[in-house]
Each structure stands twice: as structure tokens, then as C-alpha cells.
Amino acid sequence: MYQVIARKYRPQGFAELISQEHIKTTLENAITQNRIAHGYIFSGQRGTGKTSVARIFARCLNCEKGPTATPCGQCASCTEISAGSSMDVIEIDGASNTGVDDIRELRDTIRYLPSRSRYKIFIIDEVHMLSVNAFNAL
């Protein structure tokens, strides 16, 4: 099966992350010190790895070994998150889901506990593309 090069070579752990040392250190310290915040905002120019870091962080938090700064990559949670099929890590494209109804649907799913993992994580990619009303609903 054909896979886009950016997805094929996407980093799967903090050790593979290049030129984001300050982000890597901050998130690793948050995990090791057990000071995980309820929300994180990753901002920057296109192609700097914001979504990749969010996925790595999700794997670190939901890995069966921990929360750990080095996810195993072998457990069911790690493989599901890498494949994009985890029920507890929900990734939403803000550019495609710009309406208030999309955000209300998201809010309805937030109230449920994670099904298998430790944390329920929502990654909203391209959040700046939401409409004003959708952003207010969020």
C-alpha cells in the first residue's frame, strides 16, 4: 500500500524528534514529574511537527508502561495510536469540521471516560480554521 513520505517517516518517539529540543524537554519533564496539564497548545509554522508531537505525547501518556517519556511502541495502545485507530485518541481536522454542530458533537463525546486507555485525548488539527461561532462553542 502506498504511503505518503511524510507519514512513512513521521517520528514515533521523542528520541526521533529533530530540532524541537525545548518542546521535547518540557513534555518529558511534565511526564516524569507527573505534572501533566489538562490541555496543550502547539503552535508554529506549517511543517514544524505540531501534530507529530501531539501524537507522540498521546502515545507517551497512554502507553501501558506508564505515562512514560519513552513509549514502548509494542502495546495495543501504542500501535492503535500510531495507526490512527485508537478510540481514546481522537484527531479532528478543524479545516473540515468548521461548524458549531461539529464542536457540539465533540463536546458530547468529551463527557465519556476513556474506553481502554488511561487518558482520552483530542487533537484538533488546523484549529485556526474553525468559524467564530464554532470557536466560541469550543
Side-chain angles (χ1 to χ4, degrees):
M1 184 171 106
Y2 175 74
Q3 191 175 23
V4 178
I5 290 176
R7 292 181 195 258
K8 184 177 181 179
Y9 296 109
R10 177 172 279 169
Q12 297 297 313
F14 285 131
E16 299 174 19
L17 200 60
I18 297 172
S19 69
Q20 296 292 342
E21 298 299 323
H22 58 292
I23 301 299
K24 179 172 37 172
T25 304
T26 302
L27 295 176
E28 285 175 339
N29 287 340
I31 293 169
T32 56
Q33 295 174 7
N34 200 20
R35 296 189 57 140
I36 300 165
H38 72 281
Y40 289 88
I41 297 175
F42 300 114
S43 67
Q45 294 182 347
R46 181 176 43 149
T48 56
K50 299 176 295 292
T51 305
S52 296
V53 169
R55 289 177 181 164
I56 292 168
F57 194 51
R59 285 181 61 203
C60 290
L61 294 177
N62 284 334
C63 182
E64 291 176 3
K65 285 176 30 178
T68 177
T70 55
C72 69
Q74 305 298 321
C75 66
S77 183
C78 286
T79 55
E80 287 176 358
I81 292 170
S82 294
S85 61
S86 176
M87 292 177 57
D88 296 324
V89 178
I90 299 153
E91 188 170 341
I92 299 158
D93 182 25
S96 301
N97 302 302
T98 60
V100 176
D101 293 333
D102 298 319
I103 298 302
R104 287 186 180 141
E105 183 179 324
L106 172 72
R107 284 185 11 208
D108 289 340
T109 61
I110 288 174
R111 67 179 83 169
Y112 300 111
L113 292 173
S115 60
R116 283 181 29 175
S117 301
R118 189 173 293 106
Y119 293 97
K120 192 164 198 172
I121 298 170
F122 294 89
I123 300 172
I124 306 175
D125 200 15
E126 302 290 334
V127 73
H128 65 278
M129 297 295 290
L130 292 176
S131 68
V132 172
N133 292 332
F135 203 80
N136 288 337
L138 181 65

